[in-house]
Each structure stands twice: as structure tokens, then as C-alpha cells.
Amino acid sequence: MGPMCVGLGPDLDRRDRVYSRDRILESERQRPMGNEREERAERWQCWMRAAQKGDAEAYQRLLTELLPYVRGVVRGRVRDDAAVEDVAQDVLLRIHTARHTYHPERPLLPWVRTIARNASIDHSRRWARERGRQGEMEPDALPAPERLAEGPISRGLVRALDRLPESQREAVTLLKLEGLSVKEAALRAGVSPGALKLRAHRGYNALRDLLGRERS
Amino acid sequence: MNEDRSEPVDDGRSEDLIRELARELEPVQPLPPLRFVVGGLLGLWALVAAVGVAVLGSRPDLAQAWLGRGGVAFVFGGLGLAGVAGLAASVALGVPGRERLVRLALLAAGVGMVLAAGGGSLLFLESAMPWNGGGFRADLDCLAVALVVGIFPGLGVVAFAGRAAAFRPVVLVVAAAASAAALGTIVAQASCPMVNLRHLLMGHALAPAVGVLVLSVPLLVALRRIGRVG
């Protein structure tokens, strides 16, 4: 049985501590052994509440324990094994940016499952679109990289890229325009792969907003 | 369960990412419970409706028009149900993990629309009121009232969804637009003195469909401008 929220960090308020201790005592008294899944769900819920209050330790434990679960949900929808880890990381980023949408009194897993499912659906759509585009294009018809900025859409993209903060622009450029792997791009930028991925994710969101505004 | 099938395939990148996310963690204020949000939006609608009726004036035979003919009560009871339920669905569409609520609310909205259609059919079959009267201009006036009143709860939904995490923004704004116009048309009915079936259908009962056509795009643009979509 895990420690749940007890003594996890200084930021947990009394209600969470009491809640956790009560739950532990209650489960020890009433529940037969082996109800691990329920205990785990309660523990995660408790950690998420602490994370919403800024407890980084609880948050790191939560994400670490959630990762295999997230991979499992993603695997249900993404067939490509190589893409599973990328989508799982996208899910972690989405959990991070949407953490305020979790309601502390509600179960955590349906919330996580929906985010993971949405990220998987997004990935599948992108994959299908890209496959369709590749199918339509002959290799010779692809423009050379130096000519990419000449088209009207690309000019918009270049303008939007220019408006990104330096760190995000670098991450997007290295990953998407130069086609480096996350590891290579992180080495080039001199940051950890996680930090690079975070910057790129923010860059994609900002680009999407900027391009959407330009189109409308 | 899915998670039981998972194997450790991470090459370290995910752990890096988790450390990075934890390092930059800041406290956040959770969104209010959805029932408060929906209640707030209905309160906003009630306020705008009261102002609207005060400005436009209420029809003299209000009680008779609503209660005297069963079909009219069905039409507007149904539209009211569709409006409230649609509003709840559009709010829930902005929050991950509330799919069950979305499904239930959409079901209730569907029931509301069926009731409204049934009421309209009843009026038609019973010939409870004359078919003709008024004109296209009168229809447009009532539709405009419905849309003007409806835009307020519609924008309220968008403001909430902008703070939340809407995955299906188009579905969200379509539901918001239809439900907002359905709520708006109740105000139009409360102030409209016309008693004819054609106007009831064209100027009032069609308001949700017109709301979708007219309000969806501006609401979607507003959502994309202010909000987090994805």
C-alpha cells in the first residue's frame, strides 16, 4: 500500500492530509487486500490535488505513475509502436496545460483517459492527413527547402515563426524544418530533451494561434 | 484494462519531460463545478431576458398564449429544455472526462427538440391558430431578438471554454449557438403579439437552426482568439 498523500510535501493542506489518513485507515479496516486499483486511483487523485496547489514532488510522482497507464490508453488507438511514446509525451504536456480543468472532487482517471484518447485521435488524424498528402505527391514535385518560404502559406508560417520567442522558434525549427530527432535537437540547443519538447509544444500552440488569427 | 498491457519502452525522454514539467509547476485555480457555470449562464440569460422583456414589453395575453394552447406550451417548453440542456452540453464539452454528461445533456436537448416539434405538429393538426399573418419582416424581428438575447449566454460558454480545454470546438460552438438561440426565442415569444402558426414556426421555432447558421462562426472565431483549443 502506497503512502498516498501523507507527508508528501509541505504544500499539502490539512484537508488533504486528513483525507489521506482517513482513507488509509478506512481501507485498512474495511477493504480486503488486493484492491490496488482503487487505492492507486485515490492516491493519484490526491497527488493531483496537491499538484494543483503547486506541489512539484507530488506532481512528478503522479506523472511518473501515470505514464504506463497513459501508454496503455494510447496503445489502444495508435498502432505504430514508435509513435506511442511521442503521443504519451503529448498527453503529459496536455495534462500539464489542462491541469486546472480537473475538478478535485471528481475521479482522475476518466479525465486522464479523455486527454489520452483525444491526443491519440489527433495523432491518428495527423498521420492519415500526412499519409494522404504523401500519397498525392510525387517525390519530384516536392519543393526544395530553400523554396518553401516562397508560397503564400509558407510566408505566413515564416512571419508567425518570427513572432515566436527565441527558445520556441529554435525548438520548432530544429524539429520540424531541419528534421532533427528530439535528442539531436536537444543537444544542438543545449537543453534536456524534455525541455526541448516542452518548448516545441508551446511553439506549436503559439503557431497554431498565430496562423489561425492570420487566416481569420 | 489497457494499462496492464504496457511495457517500459521509454528511452528516458519521458522522464526528462516529467522532471521539466514538475520543475516549472505553478499552482492553478481549478475550474468551478459545471453546475455553477451552467447556473451562472442561466442567471445571465435570465437577466438579459428580463431587460429584453422590459424594453420590448410583454404581450398582454402572455399567460393565455403559453398555457391556453397545449401546443405552444410544448413548443416553448421543448425549446427551453433544449436550450438549458444544450448549454450544459456545450459547457461540458470544454472539460475532459465529462463525456457522460455531454451525452445525457445532448439526449435531453434532443428530447426537447422532439417535444417542440410535437407541439408544432399539434398546433398544425388542431388548426389551433390561423396559418397566415404578419410577414417575413416580423419573422426576422423575432429571430433577431432571439439571437441578440442568445448571444450573451453563447459568449459566456465561449468565455468558459476558452479557460477550459475544448477538444471539439466546432461541436461546442454549434451546441452553444443552438441552445443560446433556443433560450433567446423564449424572450421573443414572451414579447411577440402575433398569433399565427407560420410566424410561430418561422420566427420562433426555427431560431435554434438560425442560431447555428448565424452565431456558430463568430463564436468559433471568439473561441479561437481567446481560448485554448485542443
Side-chain angles (χ1 to χ4, degrees), chain A residues 37 40 52 56 60 68-69 71-72 75 85 89 96 99-100 103 111 114 118 122 192-193 195 202 208, chain B residues 1 3-4 6 9-10 13-14 16 19-20 22 24-28 30-31 96-97 99 163 167 228-229:
Chain A
R37 197 165 284 180
R40 187 191 58 182
Q52 285 181 322
Q60 188 165 341
Y69 175 81
R71 283 190 196 121
R75 268 204 199 104
E85 201 57 28
Q89 290 183 15
H96 185 71
R99 65 192 186 280
H100 67 293
H103 191 274
W111 182 80
T114 301
N118 291 350
D122 271 354
S192 70
R202 291 199 171 127
R208 192 170 49 188
Chain B
M1 284 284 284
E3 73 267 34
D4 296 333
S6 63
V9 294
D10 188 26
R13 289 187 297 148
S14 299
D16 282 345
R19 267 194 297 277
E20 206 66 43
E24 69 144 37
L25 182 73
E26 284 174 7
V28 287
L31 293 174
E99 289 73 21
R163 272 195 67 210
F167 176 64
R228 179 188 295 123
V229 173

Side-chain angles (χ1 to χ4, degrees), chain B residues 14-200:
Chain B
S14 299
E15 272 68 23
D16 282 345
L17 179 62
I18 288 171
R19 267 194 297 277
E20 206 66 43
L21 293 174
R23 195 175 303 137
E24 69 144 37
L25 182 73
E26 284 174 7
V28 287
Q29 183 66 41
L31 293 174
L34 296 191
R35 61 182 180 279
F36 292 163
V37 177
V38 175
L41 289 172
L42 289 177
L44 174 68
W45 167 77
L47 192 70
V48 177
V51 172
V53 172
V55 169
L56 299 169
S58 69
R59 56 189 294 167
D61 60 339
L62 187 61
Q64 193 204 345
W66 281 73
L67 303 172
R69 301 180 190 92
V72 176
F74 268 115
V75 169
F76 287 94
L79 285 174
L81 175 62
V84 174
L87 210 62
S90 54
V91 166
L93 273 163
V95 182
R98 303 310 300 268
E99 289 73 21
R100 192 158 167 265
L101 177 60
V102 172
R103 278 195 297 271
L104 283 175
L106 287 179
L107 182 68
V111 170
M113 294 309 290
V114 169
L115 280 179
S121 309
L122 202 65
L123 287 171
F124 182 73
L125 290 173
E126 287 181 347
S127 305
M129 55 172 75
W131 171 256
N132 266 323
F136 187 56
R137 178 61 199 265
D139 300 342
L140 282 184
D141 286 347
C142 285
L143 287 173
V145 169
L147 297 185
V148 168
V149 172
I151 192 78
F152 289 92
L155 283 174
V157 170
V158 165
F160 171 78
R163 272 195 67 210
F167 176 64
R168 298 184 192 284
V170 175
V171 179
L172 186 150
V173 296
V174 166
S179 54
L183 289 172
T185 200
I186 293 174
V187 177
Q189 168 67 10
S191 58
C192 172
M194 304 191 70
V195 184
N196 69 79
L197 190 53
R198 192 198 60 79
H199 177 71
L200 181 70

